[in-house]
């Protein structure tokens, strides 16, 4: 165990004064009430890497709920949320500092790939860290008075951070939780780390022999979302090259991550991650299992529509191109372009997508066109002219309508 590294200075420089004050209160209370508490997981990893800290996670050796009640009784914090079965607590300290407290726990996976069942709450820190995914996420920093700031490293995580290595803690890791395969991708892309050879081998084994359907798809979806939202081309290239896409029964397209990033940067879609994912995922069962929102799901149905109903050809007019893509989500148009490399979706994205008729039905009524059908036809005529560039401004539209009425 490497306990020589002390990060007290790093804590002071990288965390805000308010967070440090909250941690010091926790530390004093732990000392008085004889608890052992530690910063744990991502916060430790990111402190060592000098990265921005997203969440403050503290683990309590014992019962975090009881510990937080002591803090709350002393008016150090307010308890915001409690999860009773796991004994985890979200608490708010002065100046809105939020800390997530977890009780140390050991877990057992009753069925491969399913959520774990907690076997013991209040185990030792060492027992707790072995349920985790990678050595770089199994590090703790003591918040206890006798060794405040010491890094507790049972699994060689500090060395792995130095060597930019992603290493699972045991051979069964991916069987227990296949979403870790995507987590490896996320950390590899975000931190520019690499999986060690053994971890690669375990992943390969899982993807070739041990796949199964009844796994926690919501975890996999959440990790894919985090990974592809990074908009890092390498994540996508690795996703294909490492066969990770097989986890979601994807189809391997001939696309490079950089092509997707270039499109995404240019057209800023709402769902960046789904442009990446949509080029690979077509399997209906998985699409259902991901429980997408209505807007997310539309991207996949639009993509299928575009792929299966193409009536465009080299001579299609701007109007025909516009009509084909008009009602489709911009993400699906991008996916369609990436998969087919046709020029029409690019013409649409580049030139036509932004074109709108500015006059509306009421405007036309005021100008004397009263019949609903005629209004629709006139709006369509205006659109045709706008798409050819013969009409540009609202004043042009009005002029055109007046001419037609005459
Ligand atoms: N963890 C795990 N297996 C998972 C998910 C999480 O072992 N499938 C553990 C890791 O030790 C991780 C911790 O739970 O550090 C907290 O999880 P999470 O907040 O998802 O990850 P972070 O490491 O904080 O990563 P991020 O920076 O992306 O939030």
């Amino acid at each position: 165990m490497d306990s020589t590294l002390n990060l007290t200075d790093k804590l002071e420089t990288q965390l805000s004064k308010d967070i440090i004050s909250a941690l010091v209160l926790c530390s004093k209370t732990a000392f008085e009430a004889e608890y052992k508490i530690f910063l744990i997981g991502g916060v430790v990893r990111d402190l060592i890497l000098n990265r921005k800290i997203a969440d403050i996670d503290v683990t309590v050796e014992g019962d975090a709920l009881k510990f937080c009640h002591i803090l709350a009784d002393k008016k150090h914090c307010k308890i915001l949320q409690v999860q009773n079965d796991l004994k985890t607590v979200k608490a708010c300290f002065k100046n809105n500092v939020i800390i997530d407290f977890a009780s140390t726990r050991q877990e057992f996976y009753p069925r491969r790939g399913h959520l774990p069942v907690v076997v013991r709450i209040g185990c030792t820190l060492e027992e707790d860290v072995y349920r985790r995914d990678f050595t770089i996420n199994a590090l703790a920093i003591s918040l206890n008075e006798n060794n405040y700031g010491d890094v507790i490293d049972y699994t060689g995580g500090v060395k792995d951070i130095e060597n930019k290595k992603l290493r699972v803690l045991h051979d069964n890791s991916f069987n227990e939780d296949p979403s870790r395969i995507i987590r490896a991708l996320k950390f590899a892309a975000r931190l520019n780390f690499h999986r060690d050879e053994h971890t690669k081998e375990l992943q390969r084994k899982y993807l070739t022999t041990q796949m199964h359907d009844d796994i926690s798809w919501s975890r996999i979806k959440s990790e894919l979302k985090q990974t592809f939202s990074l908009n890092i081309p390498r994540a996508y290239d690795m996703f294909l090259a490492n066969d990770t896409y097989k986890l979601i029964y994807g189809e391997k397209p001939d696309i490079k991550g950089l092509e997707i990033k270039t499109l995404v940067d240019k057209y800023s879609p709402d769902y960046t991650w789904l442009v990446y994912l949509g080029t690979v995922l077509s399997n209906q069962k998985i699409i259902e299992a991901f429980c997408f929102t209505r807007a997310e799901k539309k991207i996949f149905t639009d993509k299928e529509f575009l792929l299966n109903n193409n009536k465009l050809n080299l001579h299609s007019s701007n109007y025909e191109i516009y009509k084909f893509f008009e009602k489709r989500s911009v993400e699906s148009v991008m996916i369609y372009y990436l998969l087919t490399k046709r020029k029409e979706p690019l013409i649409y994205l580049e030139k036509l997508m932004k074109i709108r008729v500015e006059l509306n039905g009421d405007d036309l009524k005021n100008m004397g066109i009263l019949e609903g059908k005629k209004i629709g036809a006139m709006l369509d005529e205006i659109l045709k002219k706008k798409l050819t560039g013969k009409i540009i401004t609202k004043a042009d539209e009005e002029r055109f309508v007046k001419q037609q009425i005459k």
Side-chain angles (χ1 to χ4, degrees), residues 155-185:
T155 65
V158 173
K159 196 158 152 268
D160 284 338
I161 288 181
E162 282 165 9
N163 294 327
K164 294 176 165 280
K165 279 271 167 279
L166 290 165
R167 195 158 56 86
V168 288
L169 300 185
H170 56 82
D171 285 4
N172 214 23
S173 190
F174 293 140
N175 293 327
E176 287 182 348
D177 181 354
S179 73
R180 289 173 175 166
I181 292 176
I182 314 288
R183 283 175 69 81
L185 190 71

CSV table of all heavy atoms in Angstrom, one decimal, residues 155-185:
chain,number,residue,atom,x,y,z
A,155,THR,N,-4.6,-0.6,-4.8
A,155,THR,CA,-4.6,-1.4,-6.0
A,155,THR,C,-3.5,-0.9,-7.1
A,155,THR,O,-3.6,-1.3,-8.2
A,155,THR,CB,-6.0,-1.3,-6.7
A,155,THR,OG1,-6.2,0.0,-7.1
A,155,THR,CG2,-7.1,-1.8,-5.7
A,156,GLY,N,-2.7,0.0,-6.7
A,156,GLY,CA,-1.7,0.6,-7.6
A,156,GLY,C,-2.2,1.6,-8.5
A,156,GLY,O,-1.7,1.8,-9.6
A,157,GLY,N,-3.2,2.3,-8.1
A,157,GLY,CA,-3.9,3.3,-8.9
A,157,GLY,C,-3.0,4.5,-9.2
A,157,GLY,O,-3.0,5.1,-10.4
A,158,VAL,N,-2.2,4.9,-8.3
A,158,VAL,CA,-1.3,6.1,-8.5
A,158,VAL,C,-0.3,5.8,-9.6
A,158,VAL,O,-0.2,6.6,-10.6
A,158,VAL,CB,-0.6,6.5,-7.2
A,158,VAL,CG1,0.5,7.6,-7.5
A,158,VAL,CG2,-1.5,7.0,-6.1
A,159,LYS,N,0.3,4.6,-9.6
A,159,LYS,CA,1.2,4.3,-10.7
A,159,LYS,C,0.5,4.2,-12.0
A,159,LYS,O,1.0,4.6,-13.0
A,159,LYS,CB,1.9,2.9,-10.3
A,159,LYS,CG,3.1,2.6,-11.1
A,159,LYS,CD,3.9,1.6,-10.3
A,159,LYS,CE,4.7,0.8,-11.3
A,159,LYS,NZ,4.1,-0.4,-11.8
A,160,ASP,N,-0.7,3.7,-12.0
A,160,ASP,CA,-1.5,3.6,-13.2
A,160,ASP,C,-1.8,5.0,-13.8
A,160,ASP,O,-1.8,5.2,-15.0
A,160,ASP,CB,-2.7,2.7,-13.1
A,160,ASP,CG,-2.4,1.2,-13.0
A,160,ASP,OD1,-1.3,0.9,-13.5
A,160,ASP,OD2,-3.2,0.5,-12.4
A,161,ILE,N,-2.1,5.9,-12.9
A,161,ILE,CA,-2.3,7.3,-13.4
A,161,ILE,C,-1.1,7.8,-14.0
A,161,ILE,O,-1.1,8.4,-15.1
A,161,ILE,CB,-2.8,8.2,-12.2
A,161,ILE,CG1,-4.2,7.8,-11.8
A,161,ILE,CG2,-2.8,9.7,-12.6
A,161,ILE,CD1,-4.8,8.7,-10.7
A,162,GLU,N,0.1,7.6,-13.3
A,162,GLU,CA,1.3,8.1,-13.9
A,162,GLU,C,1.6,7.5,-15.3
A,162,GLU,O,2.1,8.1,-16.2
A,162,GLU,CB,2.5,7.7,-13.0
A,162,GLU,CG,2.6,8.6,-11.8
A,162,GLU,CD,3.5,8.0,-10.7
A,162,GLU,OE1,4.2,7.0,-10.9
A,162,GLU,OE2,3.5,8.6,-9.6
A,163,ASN,N,1.3,6.2,-15.4
A,163,ASN,CA,1.5,5.5,-16.7
A,163,ASN,C,0.3,5.6,-17.7
A,163,ASN,O,0.3,4.9,-18.7
A,163,ASN,CB,1.8,4.0,-16.5
A,163,ASN,CG,3.1,3.9,-15.7
A,163,ASN,OD1,4.0,4.7,-15.9
A,163,ASN,ND2,3.2,2.9,-14.8
A,164,LYS,N,-0.7,6.4,-17.3
A,164,LYS,CA,-1.9,6.5,-18.2
A,164,LYS,C,-2.5,5.2,-18.5
A,164,LYS,O,-2.9,4.9,-19.7
A,164,LYS,CB,-1.5,7.3,-19.5
A,164,LYS,CG,-1.1,8.7,-19.2
A,164,LYS,CD,-0.7,9.3,-20.6
A,164,LYS,CE,-0.6,10.8,-20.5
A,164,LYS,NZ,-1.9,11.5,-20.6
A,165,LYS,N,-2.7,4.3,-17.5
A,165,LYS,CA,-3.2,3.0,-17.7
A,165,LYS,C,-4.6,2.8,-17.1
A,165,LYS,O,-4.8,3.3,-16.0
A,165,LYS,CB,-2.3,1.9,-17.1
A,165,LYS,CG,-1.1,1.6,-17.9
A,165,LYS,CD,-1.3,0.4,-18.8
A,165,LYS,CE,-0.3,0.2,-19.9
A,165,LYS,NZ,-0.3,1.1,-21.0
A,166,LEU,N,-5.4,2.1,-17.9
A,166,LEU,CA,-6.7,1.7,-17.3
A,166,LEU,C,-6.7,0.2,-17.1
A,166,LEU,O,-6.5,-0.6,-18.0
A,166,LEU,CB,-7.8,2.0,-18.4
A,166,LEU,CG,-8.1,3.5,-18.6
A,166,LEU,CD1,-8.9,3.6,-19.9
A,166,LEU,CD2,-8.9,4.1,-17.5
A,167,ARG,N,-6.8,-0.1,-15.8
A,167,ARG,CA,-6.7,-1.5,-15.4
A,167,ARG,C,-7.9,-1.9,-14.5
A,167,ARG,O,-8.1,-1.2,-13.5
A,167,ARG,CB,-5.4,-1.7,-14.7
A,167,ARG,CG,-4.8,-3.1,-14.5
A,167,ARG,CD,-3.3,-3.1,-14.3
A,167,ARG,NE,-2.9,-2.2,-13.2
A,167,ARG,CZ,-2.9,-2.7,-11.9
A,167,ARG,NH1,-3.2,-3.9,-11.6
A,167,ARG,NH2,-2.5,-1.9,-10.9
A,168,VAL,N,-8.5,-3.0,-14.9
A,168,VAL,CA,-9.6,-3.5,-14.0
A,168,VAL,C,-9.0,-4.1,-12.8
A,168,VAL,O,-7.9,-4.5,-12.8
A,168,VAL,CB,-10.6,-4.5,-14.7
A,168,VAL,CG1,-11.4,-3.9,-15.8
A,168,VAL,CG2,-9.7,-5.7,-15.4
A,169,LEU,N,-9.9,-4.3,-11.8
A,169,LEU,CA,-9.4,-4.8,-10.5
A,169,LEU,C,-9.4,-6.3,-10.4
A,169,LEU,O,-8.7,-6.9,-9.6
A,169,LEU,CB,-10.2,-4.2,-9.3
A,169,LEU,CG,-10.2,-2.7,-9.2
A,169,LEU,CD1,-10.9,-2.2,-8.0
A,169,LEU,CD2,-8.7,-2.2,-9.2
A,170,HIS,N,-10.2,-6.9,-11.2
A,170,HIS,CA,-10.3,-8.4,-11.2
A,170,HIS,C,-10.8,-8.9,-12.5
A,170,HIS,O,-11.5,-8.1,-13.3
A,170,HIS,CB,-11.1,-8.9,-10.0
A,170,HIS,CG,-12.5,-8.4,-10.0
A,170,HIS,ND1,-13.5,-8.9,-10.8
A,170,HIS,CD2,-13.0,-7.3,-9.3
A,170,HIS,CE1,-14.6,-8.2,-10.5
A,170,HIS,NE2,-14.3,-7.2,-9.7
A,171,ASP,N,-10.6,-10.2,-12.8
A,171,ASP,CA,-11.0,-10.7,-14.1
A,171,ASP,C,-12.5,-10.7,-14.4
A,171,ASP,O,-12.9,-10.9,-15.6
A,171,ASP,CB,-10.4,-12.1,-14.3
A,171,ASP,CG,-8.9,-12.1,-14.5
A,171,ASP,OD1,-8.3,-11.0,-14.4
A,171,ASP,OD2,-8.3,-13.2,-14.7
A,172,ASN,N,-13.3,-10.7,-13.4
A,172,ASN,CA,-14.7,-10.8,-13.6
A,172,ASN,C,-15.4,-9.4,-13.8
A,172,ASN,O,-16.6,-9.3,-13.9
A,172,ASN,CB,-15.3,-11.5,-12.4
A,172,ASN,CG,-16.5,-12.3,-12.8
A,172,ASN,OD1,-16.6,-12.7,-13.9
A,172,ASN,ND2,-17.4,-12.6,-11.8
A,173,SER,N,-14.6,-8.4,-13.9
A,173,SER,CA,-15.1,-7.0,-13.8
A,173,SER,C,-16.2,-6.7,-14.9
A,173,SER,O,-17.2,-6.2,-14.7
A,173,SER,CB,-14.0,-6.0,-13.9
A,173,SER,OG,-14.4,-4.7,-13.7
A,174,PHE,N,-15.8,-7.1,-16.2
A,174,PHE,CA,-16.7,-6.8,-17.3
A,174,PHE,C,-18.0,-7.7,-17.3
A,174,PHE,O,-19.0,-7.3,-17.7
A,174,PHE,CB,-16.0,-6.9,-18.6
A,174,PHE,CG,-15.0,-5.9,-18.8
A,174,PHE,CD1,-13.7,-6.2,-19.4
A,174,PHE,CD2,-15.2,-4.5,-18.4
A,174,PHE,CE1,-12.8,-5.2,-19.6
A,174,PHE,CE2,-14.2,-3.6,-18.6
A,174,PHE,CZ,-13.0,-3.9,-19.2
A,175,ASN,N,-17.8,-8.9,-16.7
A,175,ASN,CA,-19.0,-9.8,-16.6
A,175,ASN,C,-19.9,-9.2,-15.6
A,175,ASN,O,-21.2,-9.2,-15.8
A,175,ASN,CB,-18.6,-11.2,-16.1
A,175,ASN,CG,-17.8,-11.9,-17.1
A,175,ASN,OD1,-18.0,-11.7,-18.3
A,175,ASN,ND2,-16.8,-12.7,-16.7
A,176,GLU,N,-19.4,-8.7,-14.5
A,176,GLU,CA,-20.3,-8.1,-13.5
A,176,GLU,C,-21.0,-6.9,-14.0
A,176,GLU,O,-22.1,-6.7,-13.8
A,176,GLU,CB,-19.4,-7.7,-12.3
A,176,GLU,CG,-18.9,-8.9,-11.5
A,176,GLU,CD,-18.1,-8.5,-10.3
A,176,GLU,OE1,-17.8,-7.3,-10.1
A,176,GLU,OE2,-17.9,-9.4,-9.4
A,177,ASP,N,-20.2,-6.1,-14.7
A,177,ASP,CA,-20.8,-4.8,-15.2
A,177,ASP,C,-20.2,-4.4,-16.5
A,177,ASP,O,-19.2,-3.7,-16.6
A,177,ASP,CB,-20.5,-3.7,-14.1
A,177,ASP,CG,-21.1,-2.4,-14.5
A,177,ASP,OD1,-21.7,-2.3,-15.6
A,177,ASP,OD2,-21.0,-1.4,-13.7
A,178,PRO,N,-20.9,-4.8,-17.6
A,178,PRO,CA,-20.4,-4.6,-19.0
A,178,PRO,C,-20.3,-3.1,-19.3
A,178,PRO,O,-19.6,-2.7,-20.2
A,178,PRO,CB,-21.4,-5.3,-19.9
A,178,PRO,CG,-22.3,-6.1,-19.0
A,178,PRO,CD,-22.1,-5.6,-17.6
A,179,SER,N,-21.1,-2.2,-18.5
A,179,SER,CA,-21.0,-0.8,-18.9
A,179,SER,C,-19.6,-0.3,-18.6
A,179,SER,O,-19.2,0.8,-19.1
A,179,SER,CB,-22.0,0.0,-18.0
A,179,SER,OG,-21.6,0.1,-16.7
A,180,ARG,N,-18.8,-1.1,-17.9
A,180,ARG,CA,-17.4,-0.7,-17.7
A,180,ARG,C,-16.6,-0.7,-19.0
A,180,ARG,O,-15.6,0.0,-19.1
A,180,ARG,CB,-16.7,-1.6,-16.6
A,180,ARG,CG,-17.3,-1.4,-15.2
A,180,ARG,CD,-16.8,-2.4,-14.2
A,180,ARG,NE,-17.2,-2.0,-12.9
A,180,ARG,CZ,-17.2,-2.8,-11.9
A,180,ARG,NH1,-16.7,-4.0,-12.0
A,180,ARG,NH2,-17.7,-2.4,-10.7
A,181,ILE,N,-17.0,-1.4,-19.9
A,181,ILE,CA,-16.3,-1.4,-21.2
A,181,ILE,C,-16.5,0.0,-21.9
A,181,ILE,O,-15.6,0.5,-22.4
A,181,ILE,CB,-17.0,-2.5,-22.2
A,181,ILE,CG1,-16.6,-3.9,-21.6
A,181,ILE,CG2,-16.5,-2.4,-23.6
A,181,ILE,CD1,-17.2,-5.1,-22.4
A,182,ILE,N,-17.7,0.5,-21.7
A,182,ILE,CA,-17.9,1.9,-22.2
A,182,ILE,C,-17.2,2.9,-21.3
A,182,ILE,O,-16.6,3.9,-21.8
A,182,ILE,CB,-19.4,2.3,-22.3
A,182,ILE,CG1,-20.2,1.1,-23.0
A,182,ILE,CG2,-19.5,3.6,-23.1
A,182,ILE,CD1,-19.9,1.0,-24.4
A,183,ARG,N,-17.2,2.6,-20.0
A,183,ARG,CA,-16.4,3.6,-19.1
A,183,ARG,C,-15.0,3.6,-19.5
A,183,ARG,O,-14.3,4.7,-19.5
A,183,ARG,CB,-16.6,3.1,-17.7
A,183,ARG,CG,-18.0,3.5,-17.1
A,183,ARG,CD,-18.2,3.0,-15.7
A,183,ARG,NE,-17.3,3.6,-14.7
A,183,ARG,CZ,-17.6,4.8,-14.1
A,183,ARG,NH1,-18.6,5.5,-14.4
A,183,ARG,NH2,-16.8,5.3,-13.2
A,184,ALA,N,-14.4,2.5,-19.9
A,184,ALA,CA,-13.0,2.5,-20.3
A,184,ALA,C,-12.8,3.4,-21.5
A,184,ALA,O,-11.8,4.1,-21.5
A,184,ALA,CB,-12.5,1.0,-20.6
A,185,LEU,N,-13.7,3.3,-22.4
A,185,LEU,CA,-13.7,4.2,-23.6
A,185,LEU,C,-13.8,5.6,-23.2
A,185,LEU,O,-13.0,6.5,-23.7
A,185,LEU,CB,-14.9,3.8,-24.5
A,185,LEU,CG,-14.9,4.3,-25.8
A,185,LEU,CD1,-13.9,3.7,-26.7
A,185,LEU,CD2,-16.3,4.1,-26.4
